[in-house]
């Protein structure tokens, strides 16, 4: 069996969306003739921890952990956060509005910690892995980012060893939604773009999660690209009952930052509560995961706060049970320039939960295409209050008639095991070319 080194910042017991993709690929790679070896930090700073995910790591998988230093203690002092407060991605803030200290920290992050705050792990990791691989050879490399420092580690190892390399972009680099919020100097912008180009040039294959993002990478010069979406693991779902909840529960699972806060949704729901007694009696809005303070400010403004239930974080299996006991699952696309290509990882587990999805985002975007293809729910464009009202009315009527479950036969191609086969195929292709 051939071996592949997987370089990932996120790994159990880290929780959140970043860990799921490669935890599942590692789980199934052996089915396709590849033995994974995982390289990950010993002491990372993820946004959440989820010990339950450790049970999904095959017992005899080799996981190499090395210490990492990250500047987050300094960051916490700078913004006045507690020592034990987790650092959220995407400028999400649950407890305070961004102030001058926060803005300065963003400027500092964008201009000095390039490509990201894990930059200090690049050089020692390249040194360690180069030595490690002499005694424990592998046939290929995989890096997954963000953080894009993982790609820079793989680039260094690639240059030292010549190993075939697959670079997996779960999110873009310079085309990510918050890139323009980093307040970059011309020098810093050039450095980010130069690093990105190095990865594009030297990776034997570049993988991303949506067609639109693949097109963006091709515009940047990537010629060896492929789309492998995120997915769902059927093993997570067989024992989860699909129950019609007592309340018309609209649930959002996962991080919800300011760019995804759909103010017009709260406006429409507030108006429906004012005019429809049955709707008012049944409505519940549930948030599971990190939720930006701007969301609750909107709920207060539209007099919806009493209908909202907030849970900070749930283990992955518990979150799936919440999905299955919801009336509607809320899929919010960032209202940003790269919205067309955004496919949140949660969409596939939403589909597997057999609950209707309310997707707010561009109707021609990649997420909308999946919802349409699987007949999984309603799609509403940003700011389209009339269509949103009609969609919610229809979902509420279906709820009252107990007709909410959606078809699931068409989602099999998004199973994690099937998608892992695509990863293995790419590994076979790039190692075959290397050995030709």
């Amino acid at each position: 069996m051939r071996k592949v080194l997987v370089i990932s910042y996120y790994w159990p017991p880290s929780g959140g969306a970043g860990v799921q993709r490669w935890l599942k690929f590692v789980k199934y790679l052996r089915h396709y003739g590849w033995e994974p070896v995982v390289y990950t930090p010993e002491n990372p700073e993820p946004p959440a921890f989820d010990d339950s995910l450790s049970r999904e790591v095959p017992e005899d998988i080799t996981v190499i952990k090395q210490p990492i230093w990250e500047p987050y203690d300094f960051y916490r002092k700078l913004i006045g956060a507690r020592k034990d407060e987790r650092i959220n991605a995407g400028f999400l803030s649950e407890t305070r509005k961004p102030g001058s200290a926060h803005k300065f920290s963003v400027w500092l992050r964008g201009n000095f910690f390039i490509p990201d705050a894990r930059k200090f792990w690049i050089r020692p990791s390249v040194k360690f892995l180069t030595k490690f691989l002499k005694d424990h050879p592998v046939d290929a490399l995989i890096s997954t980012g963000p953080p894009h420092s993982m790609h820079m580690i793989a680039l260094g190892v690639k240059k030292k060893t010549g190993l075939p390399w697959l670079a997996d972009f779960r999110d873009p680099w310079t085309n990510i939604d918050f890139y323009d919020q980093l307040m970059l100097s011309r020098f810093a912008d050039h450095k980010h773009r130069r690093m990105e180009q190095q990865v594009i040039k030297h990776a034997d294959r570049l993988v991303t999660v949506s067609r639109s993002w693949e097109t963006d990478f091709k515009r940047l010069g990537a010629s060896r690209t492929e789309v492998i979406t995120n997915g769902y693991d059927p093993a997570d779902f067989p024992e989860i009952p699909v129950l019609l909840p007592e309340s018309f529960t609209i649930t959002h699972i996962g991080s919800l930052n300011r760019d995804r806060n759909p103010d017009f949704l709260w406006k429409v729901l507030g108006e429906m509560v004012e005019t429809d007694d049955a709707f008012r009696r049944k409505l519940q809005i549930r948030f599971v995961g990190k939720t930006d303070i701007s969301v609750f400010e909107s709920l207060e403004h539209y007099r919806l706060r009493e209908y909202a239930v907030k849970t900070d974080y749930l283990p992955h299996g518990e979150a799936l049970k919440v999905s299955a006991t919801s009336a509607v699952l809320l899929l919010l696309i960032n209202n940003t320039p790269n919205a067309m290509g955004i496919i949140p990882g949660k969409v596939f587990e939403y589909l597997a939960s057999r609950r209707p999805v309310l997707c707010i985002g561009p109707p021609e975007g990649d997420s909308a295409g999946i919802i349409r293809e699987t007949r999984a729910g309603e799609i509403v464009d940003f700011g389209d209050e009339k269509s949103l009202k009609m969609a919610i009315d229809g979902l509420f009527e279906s709820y009252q008639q107990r007709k909410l479950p959606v078809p699931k036969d068409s989602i099999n191609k998004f199973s994690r095991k099937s998608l892992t086969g695509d990863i293995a195929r790419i590994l076979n292709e790039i190692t075959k070319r290397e050995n030709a």
Side-chain angles (χ1 to χ4, degrees), residues 110 150 186 255 257 389:
M150 304 304 106
R186 184 178 299 179
S255 296
N257 64 16
K389 171 68 163 53

Side-chain angles (χ1 to χ4, degrees), residues 369-386:
I370 291 171
I371 300 301
R372 195 176 296 114
E373 175 190 348
T374 55
R375 307 186 306 279
E378 302 288 341
I379 304 154
V380 179
D381 202 358
F382 300 121
D384 187 348
E385 294 182 19
K386 182 179 179 181

Side-chain angles (χ1 to χ4, degrees), residues 32-47:
Y32 300 95
W34 283 91
E35 175 70 21
V37 177
V38 178
Y39 179 70
T40 194
E42 185 179 85
N43 53 321
E45 283 265 5

Side-chain angles (χ1 to χ4, degrees), residues 257-396:
N257 64 16
R258 189 174 295 266
D259 287 334
R260 284 198 292 272
N261 179 23
D263 190 77
F264 83 112
L265 169 62
W266 315 132
K267 178 184 178 184
V268 169
L269 288 176
E271 292 171 351
M272 293 177 71
V273 163
E274 290 284 333
T275 58
D276 188 330
D277 288 341
F279 188 80
R280 180 175 63 252
R281 288 194 299 269
K282 288 292 187 179
L283 178 64
Q284 183 181 83
I285 308 167
R286 183 161 51 183
F287 303 94
V288 178
K290 305 290 185 180
T291 306
D292 194 86
I293 189 173
S294 64
V295 174
F296 294 102
E297 290 174 344
S298 295
L299 293 175
E300 292 282 358
H301 179 73
Y302 294 111
R303 298 181 291 278
L304 290 172
R305 188 64 182 87
E306 65 181 282
Y307 301 94
V309 178
K310 170 72 167 68
T311 303
D312 183 43
Y313 184 82
L314 286 176
H316 184 239
E318 295 300 312
L320 296 182
K321 291 178 182 178
V322 169
S323 295
T325 57
S326 300
V328 176
L329 296 170
L330 189 56
L331 182 67
L332 302 174
I333 306 303
N334 300 43
N335 193 356
T336 52
N338 71 342
M340 295 292 286
I342 295 175
I343 307 178
K346 68 172 71 70
V347 66
F348 303 100
E349 293 186 336
Y350 277 9
L351 298 178
S353 296
R354 289 183 289 156
R355 301 281 81 182
V357 177
L358 175 58
C359 174
I360 295 178
E364 301 307 315
D366 292 336
S367 283
I370 291 171
I371 300 301
R372 195 176 296 114
E373 175 190 348
T374 55
R375 307 186 306 279
E378 302 288 341
I379 304 154
V380 179
D381 202 358
F382 300 121
D384 187 348
E385 294 182 19
K386 182 179 179 181
S387 296
L388 180 60
K389 171 68 163 53
M390 291 175 59
I392 296 172
D393 277 337
L395 290 166
F396 186 58

Side-chain angles (χ1 to χ4, degrees), residues 218-235:
K218 285 182 176 178
R219 288 195 194 105
L220 292 170
S223 59
R224 302 177 299 277
T225 65
E226 190 146 345
V227 174
I228 299 180
T229 67
N230 286 304
Y232 75 99
D233 189 348

